Amino acid sequence: MAYALLILMALAISHNSGAHSAAPSTQPNPSPSKATTVPVPLSNAAKEFLQGHNQARDEVGVGPLKWSEQLANATSLLVRYQRNKMGCQFANLISSKYRGNQLWVSGQPVTPSMVVDAWVREKAYYNHTDNSCQPNHTCGVYTQVVWKNSQELGCAQATCVKNSTTLTICFYNPPGNVVGESPY
């Protein structure tokens, strides 16, 4: 009886929500090609990755990055592979069509903000005037964060419980760090 009552309520609701006119609707049916897609809400981690990157980019006058689910899925596959098959070792990013940054942290929890902050700290060693890095330091992860032509970002993290390490990888599209070019 309760089941029949629910069906009747559903029919009544749909009947009452319809137009009261007998005339057919003049509203066109949207074609599948013109249908709008509802964006997927960003996770807190995605928001943190974007906020850290975009703050660093804003400081040097570079436009913001947008989150890419495609890049996030690619990094997710890679960090899970590294966790499940490689013991959370650094990934070989050379063969990727995207440029990537990665960070490996052991013995403590790591947030997306902490990761981006670590990469941005390389700014202290970067000389924009001659597009160089101080001797005995690296600047490549910083310059990728602020690379002017990169427009999309996707990141993922994986934690290896066995050895308390976390691997984080971000991909950028279009890729940056083009030899001989300035990041901004």
Side-chain angles (χ1 to χ4, degrees):
M1 183 69 169
Y3 181 74
L5 183 60
L6 286 175
I7 291 175
L8 289 174
M9 286 176 60
L11 288 173
I13 291 169
S14 75
H15 175 69
N16 289 335
S17 65
H20 295 290
S21 166
S25 171
T26 58
Q27 296 294 323
N29 288 335
S31 67
S33 64
K34 293 183 181 177
T36 58
T37 56
V38 177
V40 176
L42 294 181
S43 68
N44 288 338
K47 289 176 188 175
E48 272 190 65
F49 280 119
L50 273 174
Q51 181 180 9
H53 278 81
N54 288 337
Q55 181 178 346
R57 295 170 68 83
D58 186 56
E59 289 174 5
V60 296
V62 176
L65 295 170
K66 293 180 183 174
W67 189 256
S68 165
E69 283 301 316
Q70 180 181 353
L71 295 178
N73 290 337
T75 57
S76 179
L77 288 171
L78 184 55
V79 295
R80 286 184 290 151
Y81 173 81
Q82 292 301 120
R83 177 192 63 204
N84 298 340
K85 304 288 186 189
M86 306 302 286
C88 274
Q89 305 268 337
F90 273 116
N92 179 356
L93 302 181
I94 293 172
S95 62
S96 172
K97 67 179 180 176
Y98 307 110
R99 289 291 189 271
N101 282 345
Q102 60 184 319
L103 183 70
W104 184 87
V105 176
S106 179
Q108 68 180 27
V110 62
T111 66
S113 296
M114 293 167 67
V115 170
V116 179
D117 287 348
W119 293 336
V120 172
R121 278 195 296 270
E122 284 188 0
K123 181 180 183 178
Y125 309 112
Y126 178 68
N127 182 340
H128 180 61
T129 304
D130 64 1
N131 193 27
S132 67
C133 195
Q134 290 179 9
N136 303 318
H137 293 283
T138 59
C139 300
V141 293
Y142 168 70
T143 55
Q144 177 55 78
V145 166
V146 297
W147 195 263
K148 64 185 173 223
N149 294 332
S150 294
Q151 297 175 2
E152 297 179 308
L153 172 70
C155 306
Q157 293 181 304
T159 300
C160 291
V161 177
K162 181 173 77 174
N163 59 4
S164 298
T165 61
T166 300
L167 178 64
T168 304
I169 298 176
C170 290
F171 281 157
Y172 304 83
N173 187 40
N177 284 341
V178 177
V179 176
E181 291 186 21
S182 176
Y184 53 90

